[in-house]
Amino acid sequence: MTNIRGYAGKILYVDLTRRISESKPLSQDLMSNFIGGPGINAKLAYEIIKPKTEFSSPENAILINIPPLVGTFAPGAGRASFMAVSPQTGTLAYSGTGGLYNLKFAGYDELVITGKADRPVYLKILDDEVKILDASDLWGKDAMETTDVLWDKYGDEWNVACIGPAGENLVRYASINSNKFSLFAREGFGAVMGSKNLKAIVVWGTKDIEIADRSRFRELCDAAREDITGDRYFPAWRALGSLLGLGHFERSGLLPVKNQQEGCYEGVHDNFFKNAEFLGRLKNGDVSCTACPVGCKHAIKIKGGKYDGKVASLSCVLSTIQTFGVTYTIKNYEETIMCADLCDRYGMDYFSIVNAISYATELYDRGIITQKDTDGMVLEWGSADLMKSLIPKIALRQGFGDLLAEGCYRMGQRIGGDAPRYAVHVKGVDTIYDPRTPIFSPEMFALYTNTKGAYPTLQTFSLGTVMSPETLKPLMRMIGVPQDRQEVILNTPTGGNEGGYNVARLTKYYDEFYGLLDCTGICARSIYNVFGADRIAGIYSALTGIKKSAGEILRDMERMWNVEKAFKVREGLGQKEEDIGPKRWMTEPVRWKGKEFGPISRERLDALLAEYYDERGWDSASGLPTRRRLEELQLGDIAKDLQDYLP
Amino acid sequence: MKQSTKIKPFTMFLPSDKCSGCLTCQLACSYFTEGVFSLSKAKLRISRYEVGSRFMITFLPNCTNCGFCADYCPWGAITKVKTKKEVS
């Protein structure tokens, strides 16, 4: 180990088949060139996971990284990073959330789990003590019950990350629940844990995290905290959390309905999901990730009505409304919360389950599936009772639930005929947004280009917002777009409704700035926009002693992005055809508020993709990385490895 | 002042159910008293109640009432009042 600080300095490897564990030093190369989070995870995945590994294979590796700023008082630095081969994409994918910070205090930046236990187990980590323990009494319990049992046994300061029955039954969008309020929700990693017979990970640690330059680190963190708590939106963020965005989402047409057949209905924010009801009848308290002054997660306790006294732990109330409330049109606050709570208990992602049921409902409306396929159930938009009856059936893969558990892409493949054309997904992952919105943006374009499927950057810089040069210039400076590229982005507009700039080329820099948040552990909620690339590089340098400028640390992010792409290229994937998106986005308009918004034509998409690939230094025609760019990013070994695949 | 006597510069109060479980107080405590970040070396603990959804703060006997936890708590869940009282 060198004199680098801030990192715990070790990787813990656990092999569930052989029931052994071993710790190894975290190399200086991984720290200095990949920073943490998905950066280190992607590089390790490339080395550990063999091409074409199935998600449920014992050879698949779970990679959990606790990024360098997590475990310090850097405000908002609480996000852990999870990677593995996903049951949705069939290749390397990512999810991030709060929790599991104790892994770092136990002495590990990274946990790598391979193999498959011969019976249900959970992993217990207490500093150097690593045990694989019997979980037969936990198997079948829901995520909240499992957490309670383990907190009762070990104490509630321990971190618990566990799956519910959906993960056990390999539902392709099963989530992992972390300390009840945080979810590794997207990409189906709960099924990866389930495939390994791994019910839970529990961890506590007593080790120290050292700081290279204590006074500088404190000074920078204090300034960032003051900027956050002094922000004019801070009180509203604290009161409402992510719900603060609901009105903007509605006004900007960011709430697709009924499998993206139409834009959102009237009165979402003002009539059906009122802030006053949330604050007065539903919210019982705020819950934070580590070192977060905002606390956007909510303890719920319903006062009055049908569900009086009901308690729930919600990670993101906005997602609850987006999915159950808007997409499936369950126009009742309490019922959406009851659906979300049930989903959390069984352990499934809200977006994917609602998108799967919405897809099935559209197919039912079109007569492509009938009551013969649905176990006699009538699929009816807006029915909370239907939703609540389907959630357990899916988690347990019972009857019609077994089909829905596959997610919309594979449901379409299984049903056949005309069904696949109505499946809205990219690379096997269903989507949160519809790019046929009134205002296109890099967040929308990233739905097509993200190597990990229709998983947008979680930033919201320009979501539903027309960007002028006056607003773009400071934003581009903040996220570290090089000066010469800023000029190009402003002077070569892509001509859509996004405004006068190049949406495709800017997306590259959004990708990398979002990567920087993930790799250092900082939350991407807009209240954290006080963290520009310069500030993050400064905080990272003060913590670790590894001196990085904004440009240098963003180059590390570009390296990460290329490793993720390389992982796919090695599997014969990663070509442009993957980035084309669903037929619906390309061929059908969507109606909203009496207006029609046209599809994104193949011609426009081709032009955007060519510019995006070019900005990345990739081959504009195929979308594949070039050997030259990989070598420029000090990825010569990978370039050599991929020589048969690269143009 | 006797050698065994410590001055506790502040009296600490836990005014209400405001804690969100962010642990900033523990991280500040270990930073200022030990020079590192450590939850186990912090001189206060955060535990859960109401099925894990609410949080309770407890000061340990080795707390010196230095007040940094209150300074860093973004939630107003810990407050301090200056005192000159000597405590042995």
Side-chain angles (χ1 to χ4, degrees):
Chain A
M1 184 66 186
T2 64
N3 58 356
I4 294 173
R5 302 286 186 263
Y7 292 91
K10 283 192 293 187
I11 303 174
L12 177 62
Y13 292 90
V14 176
D15 182 337
L16 293 173
T17 305
R18 297 161 64 203
R19 301 181 76 91
I20 57 170
S21 65
E22 179 186 18
S23 75
K24 291 183 180 175
L26 180 70
S27 72
Q28 191 168 340
D29 169 56
L30 285 174
M31 296 186 228
S32 301
N33 295 319
F34 295 92
I35 308 298
I40 290 179
N41 275 343
K43 184 63 164 49
L44 284 172
Y46 190 90
E47 292 166 5
I48 294 169
I49 303 174
K50 293 181 184 134
K52 302 194 176 177
T53 297
E54 294 283 330
F55 89 89
S56 56
S57 164
E59 305 293 314
N60 193 8
I62 289 171
L63 300 124
I64 300 171
N65 184 279
I66 311 303
L69 297 186
V70 178
T72 76
F73 58 32
R79 282 169 66 83
S81 159
F82 196 112
M83 269 193 176
V85 170
S86 152
Q88 285 187 304
T89 66
T91 184
L92 189 66
Y94 163 82
S95 186
T97 195
L100 283 176
Y101 46 85
N102 278 337
L103 202 53
K104 197 159 168 194
F105 292 112
Y108 311 103
D109 301 290
E110 179 85 24
L111 171 61
V112 180
I113 304 171
T114 53
K116 176 180 180 178
D118 59 2
R119 56 186 181 278
V121 297
Y122 69 97
L123 181 62
K124 177 195 168 193
I125 302 167
L126 171 57
D127 294 339
D128 300 333
E129 178 192 321
V130 180
K131 288 187 174 172
I132 298 164
L133 299 168
D134 179 62
S136 50
D137 59 335
L138 295 172
W139 206 254
K141 286 192 189 303
D142 76 33
M144 301 300 169
E145 291 168 338
T146 302
T147 305
D148 282 334
V149 169
L150 292 168
W151 274 345
D152 283 347
K153 189 176 177 74
Y154 295 107
D156 57 20
E157 288 185 290
W158 284 59
N159 290 161
V160 175
C162 67
I163 57 171
E168 297 170 11
N169 292 306
L170 312 192
V171 173
R172 286 185 187 267
Y173 40 85
S175 59
I176 299 165
N177 189 303
S178 175
N179 302 332
K180 291 195 174 183
F181 283 90
S182 297
L183 296 162
F184 293 106
R186 303 240 68 202
E187 308 275 6
F189 292 130
V192 179
M193 278 181 66
S195 75
K196 294 184 178 303
N197 277 327
L198 179 61
K199 179 70 177 176
I201 301 164
V202 296
V203 55
W204 169 249
T206 65
K207 301 194 178 178
D208 301 338
I209 298 169
E210 297 182 337
I211 310 129
D213 184 340
R214 289 184 62 233
S215 59
R216 178 76 180 142
F217 183 76
R218 177 189 167 194
E219 178 191 329
L220 290 169
C221 290
D222 286 356
R225 194 178 305 103
E226 279 177 27
D227 286 350
I228 293 159
T229 55
D231 188 286
R232 66 191 167 117
Y233 290 112
F234 178 74
W237 258 104
R238 184 170 273 188
L240 296 167
S242 57
L243 263 183
L244 181 60
L246 184 62
H248 172 68
F249 272 46
E250 183 181 6
R251 287 189 298 276
S252 310
L254 294 169
L255 298 170
V257 169
K258 298 183 179 177
N259 199 36
Q260 304 199 351
Q261 294 181 87
E262 53 195 76
C264 84
Y265 53 84
E266 293 286 328
V268 170
H269 185 240
D270 293 338
N271 293 338
F272 299 105
F273 302 98
K274 294 176 186 170
N275 290 343
E277 183 175 7
F278 176 71
L279 295 171
R281 285 190 58 227
L282 306 173
K283 177 174 138 171
N284 189 40
D286 303 308
V287 177
S288 293
C289 296
T290 46
C292 175
V294 178
C296 73
K297 301 167 190 298
H298 297 299
I300 300 291
K301 191 170 188 178
I302 298 175
K303 298 178 192 73
K306 187 175 168 186
Y307 299 110
D308 183 41
K310 169 72 186 171
V311 172
S313 311
L314 291 189
S315 172
C316 177
V317 182
L318 177 62
S319 302
T320 305
I321 296 170
Q322 279 175 285
T323 52
F324 303 104
V326 177
T327 297
Y328 210 73
T329 65
I330 299 171
K331 301 174 183 177
N332 178 296
Y333 225 137
E334 290 168 308
E335 291 292 2
T336 61
I337 285 174
M338 296 303 288
C339 290
D341 177 60
L342 202 56
C343 238
D344 285 347
R345 290 175 183 277
Y346 280 98
M348 289 177 284
D349 175 41
Y350 307 160
F351 285 100
S352 290
I353 193 170
V354 170
N355 286 334
I357 296 171
S358 296
Y359 174 51
T361 306
E362 181 181 352
L363 296 182
Y364 182 89
D365 288 347
R366 291 180 183 279
I368 295 172
I369 61 172
T370 66
Q371 277 179 278
K372 282 184 196 162
D373 305 295
T374 64
D375 303 336
M377 284 193 276
V378 174
L379 303 190
E380 184 186 0
W381 298 107
S383 170
D385 289 342
L386 173 73
M387 185 63 67
K388 288 185 289 188
S389 66
L390 282 173
I391 289 169
K393 279 172 82 79
I394 293 170
L396 303 174
R397 283 190 174 269
Q398 291 171 341
F400 180 47
D402 184 54
L403 175 67
L404 293 167
E406 290 295 289
C408 64
Y409 163 59
R410 287 176 179 79
M411 287 164 65
Q413 299 297 311
R414 199 191 275 190
I415 296 165
D418 255 359
R421 68 168 292 177
Y422 304 109
V424 182
H425 71 93
V426 183
K427 306 178 181 81
V429 182
D430 55 278
T431 173
I432 294 174
Y433 302 121
D434 181 344
R436 300 166 298 168
T437 50
I439 301 163
F440 200 61
S441 69
E443 290 92 342
M444 293 294 169
F445 184 53
L447 295 172
Y448 294 94
T449 56
N450 194 321
T451 62
K452 299 168 282 280
Y455 182 102
T457 60
L458 295 178
Q459 295 151 172
T460 52
F461 295 137
S462 42
L463 203 57
T465 307
V466 174
M467 303 297 281
S468 67
E470 290 67 39
T471 49
L472 264 176
K473 281 177 187 170
L475 172 64
M476 289 196 289
R477 277 198 298 275
M478 186 189 96
I479 67 172
V481 181
Q483 184 63 42
D484 60 328
R485 305 319 296 163
Q486 291 185 29
E487 302 292 330
V488 171
I489 289 164
L490 288 173
N491 295 329
T492 59
T494 32
N497 58 19
E498 62 270 15
Y501 68 101
N502 193 309
V503 74
R505 292 186 185 274
L506 183 57
T507 300
K508 171 187 186 280
Y509 301 99
Y510 273 40
D511 289 344
E512 284 156 13
F513 185 74
Y514 180 55
L516 180 57
L517 299 178
D518 274 343
C519 286
T520 51
I522 297 169
C523 181
R525 299 284 194 207
S526 63
I527 186 75
Y528 286 108
N529 287 352
V530 303
F531 283 104
D534 276 328
R535 182 175 249 175
I536 296 172
I539 291 176
Y540 174 83
S541 302
L543 175 68
T544 63
I546 302 171
K547 301 294 177 205
K548 293 271 184 189
S549 66
E552 287 166 341
I553 206 165
L554 286 166
R555 191 175 171 81
D556 298 332
M557 299 303 102
E558 184 174 6
R559 186 175 301 115
M560 167 188 76
W561 203 263
N562 277 268
V563 172
E564 288 179 0
K565 183 80 165 184
F567 187 100
K568 301 192 71 175
V569 172
R570 191 177 57 172
E571 301 195 300
L573 304 169
Q575 303 226 14
K576 178 181 168 181
E577 288 313 306
E578 284 189 349
D579 292 344
I580 298 305
K583 194 165 271 184
R584 171 155 283 163
W585 292 353
M586 193 177 292
T587 58
E588 297 176 25
V590 63
R591 288 191 68 78
W592 178 59
K593 285 194 169 180
K595 290 183 186 166
E596 196 167 88
F597 297 90
I600 313 288
S601 70
R602 178 64 193 248
E603 188 185 17
R604 171 154 156 84
L605 189 60
D606 281 344
L608 291 171
L609 289 171
E611 294 220 49
Y612 174 78
Y613 300 146
D614 182 65
E615 193 67 23
R616 287 213 154 282
W618 293 352
D619 179 59
S620 295
S622 66
L624 291 168
T626 57
R627 180 180 304 192
R628 182 178 163 194
R629 192 73 196 120
L630 292 174
E631 286 170 349
E632 285 169 355
L633 292 165
Q634 293 89 46
L635 297 172
D637 288 353
I638 287 178
K640 200 172 166 187
D641 214 16
L642 301 181
Q643 58 187 342
D644 294 340
Y645 300 93
L646 299 181
Chain B
M1 189 171 73
K2 291 176 191 171
Q3 216 168 12
S4 62
T5 303
K6 294 175 194 167
I7 293 179
K8 295 203 170 188
F10 298 101
T11 301
M12 312 301 292
F13 293 99
L14 303 173
S16 62
D17 177 30
K18 287 187 174 178
C19 180
S20 75
C22 74
L23 312 182
T24 306
C25 55
Q26 287 187 293
L27 297 167
C29 175
S30 60
Y31 173 90
F32 286 103
T33 64
E34 305 286 341
V36 295
F37 292 113
S38 163
L39 297 180
S40 62
K41 285 183 178 164
K43 292 156 183 61
L44 71 170
R45 289 283 180 271
I46 311 299
S47 54
R48 294 170 183 261
Y49 67 98
E50 205 159 305
V51 289
S53 67
R54 304 308 312 135
F55 303 89
M56 190 162 63
I57 303 163
T58 311
F59 291 99
L60 301 184
N62 60 352
C63 167
T64 60
N65 284 25
C66 66
F68 283 112
C69 57
D71 292 343
Y72 273 73
C73 173
W75 295 86
I78 309 173
T79 57
K80 62 181 187 182
V81 175
K82 197 165 176 56
T83 175
K84 289 180 180 174
K85 187 180 170 187
E86 286 192 358
V87 182
S88 60

